Amino acid sequence: MPGSAFLVDTPSRLRRLDWSNLTRPWLRRRQLGLQAKDQNFMLEDSTFWIFGGSVHYFRVPKEYWRDRLLKMKACGLNTLTTYVPWNLHEPERGRFDFSGNLDLEAFVLTAAEIGLWVILRPGPYICSEIDLGGLPSWLLQDSGMRLRTTYKGFTNAVDLYFDHLMPRVVPLQYKHGGPIIAVQVENEYGSYNKDPTYMPYIKKALEDRGIEELLLTSDNKDGLSSGAVDGVLATINLQSQHDLQLLSTFLFTVQGARPKMVMEYWTGWFDSWGGTHNILDSSEVLKTVSAIIDAGSSINLYMFHGGTNFGFINGAMHYYDYKSHVTSYDYDAVLTEAGDYTAKYLQLRDFFGSISGTPLPPPPDPLPKTAYESVTPAFYLSLWDALKYMEAPINSEQPVNMENLPVNNGNGQSFGYTLYETTIASSGVLSAFVRDRGQGYTTLRILVENCGRVNYGEIDNQRKGLIGNIYLNDSPLSKFRIYSLDMKKSFFQRFSFDEWNKVPEAPTFPAFFLGALSVALSPSDTFMKLEGWEKGVVFINGQNLGRYWNIGPQETLYLPGTWLDQGINQVIVFEEKMAGSVIQFTETPHLGRSRYIN
């Protein structure tokens, strides 16, 4: 179990924090857990400070969990926070996946072995810049669905999910001998605030299933008053020192003299395609972290380590314009996307080391990186030629959006592309409602990509594909053949080697390109660079690395060494428009043009 924590007698950081006594006899009894007493957190009968950091297990290869958490411990933090993504754990209604990279219990137990407490943020909505804020897309099959409310169709699904999730979580709670000291109720609901009965429902749903540790909410300053729940400690999310002055006033207004906590101190920010790479200066981070603690507040660094939006899991924003998030979730965090140290890490480690009262453990060595030899794709298959090897298309009089396609055991399509095909007898003007990107071809073919469902704000209308009819000269078209191109591992198993052709001088796009990456020694992390390619997706040994797009800012894809084999590795690139001649590899990431966050 965790062997250290910050236990103090005063909120001032100027007093050294004794975090060496977690094995005291009173802690072995584990009767009271983490409590919010007056203005202090108490662990059993001693004052406790939460110095936390966020790492999302679903964004980091399982083989690297221990490395990232050891680096967290060595930075002087004592608590891990993580979201739980419902959409990944229940990809089809009633079918649950907690295996491999989604093994939540193994992640929490790894934290315990390393000596970290855990704050769990199980949603059901998590935001997290993930598709639909972590809600399963099959919820949108219901045309009347009202997400994040007590609408029966939503609560029935939440109840079933919690019925499967909470039996895994309950034994990991502090009072059961585990590391979980607190659980968050939903996420930033004050900014949504569509149903006053919803948050009490979520609170009760957690408690009825055995959650007995301290409950928290988490909101930015605009949603704090609306997101509070009776019997639940409110915490605040912020980034700037200007917002820091609101820490005490807002929290006091909402709940009086209670322990203060910044649940999300944003150490950087996420990036969107076509934008810039957001950077927050390390000296600014250090100043704000120091000021938060000087104000007598506990803190969680969001993110300590961001990781990667592998596959198609990224979300999107839609305020004035729709913008999908890039594959990298580097976040300009304390550790890089590949888990490497930064100036922020070194400065924060010095800071937390100065107030810990005991020497910090040594940081683990950085993981090696390799710039492998470039790969020249030798084989090719156009999407149109590949169609005959796929499952039979869906025949429909009208277009059907992704979520309502009769695939995946009736759960629709969550991610990837959908191809709509029909015959037209004349030329004319086409009009349709396409989400998110559509490309038209003769014999009318429209390839639609889900670039990511919005994860924050209005989310009820996030159905993807062709929405409603498509018109030619104001007349609706009919008799569609619809191909679900979700590009799961099983998708490529339909292509035997004999079906691939040599790459022609003038390929027909969209197309798949096949190459081989040779790894002579023990595999290392690397970064893939696709100069001359325009937009698509990369698969290594069946693993979906995510999207690339030459509009930036992201210019390389992180390839974990643990996903490579010694010897020959299969590389497949799905390119929509224009292919380069080679695929390059580099030891360092290129996150593109940057912008400092004010």
Side-chain angles (χ1 to χ4, degrees), residues 353-390:
S354 72
I355 61 174
S356 69
T358 58
L360 300 182
D365 292 335
L367 296 177
K369 308 290 186 297
T370 300
Y372 293 106
E373 290 293 322
S374 297
V375 169
T376 301
F379 300 97
Y380 145 95
L381 187 64
S382 79
L383 175 61
W384 316 130
D385 290 336
L387 293 179
K388 59 179 171 286
Y389 305 118
M390 298 179 188

Side-chain angles (χ1 to χ4, degrees), residues 267-285:
T267 60
W269 201 246
F270 55 86
D271 298 337
S272 299
W273 289 115
T276 55
H277 174 50
N278 292 304
I279 290 176
L280 185 61
D281 188 78
S282 60
S283 61
E284 181 71 19
V285 170

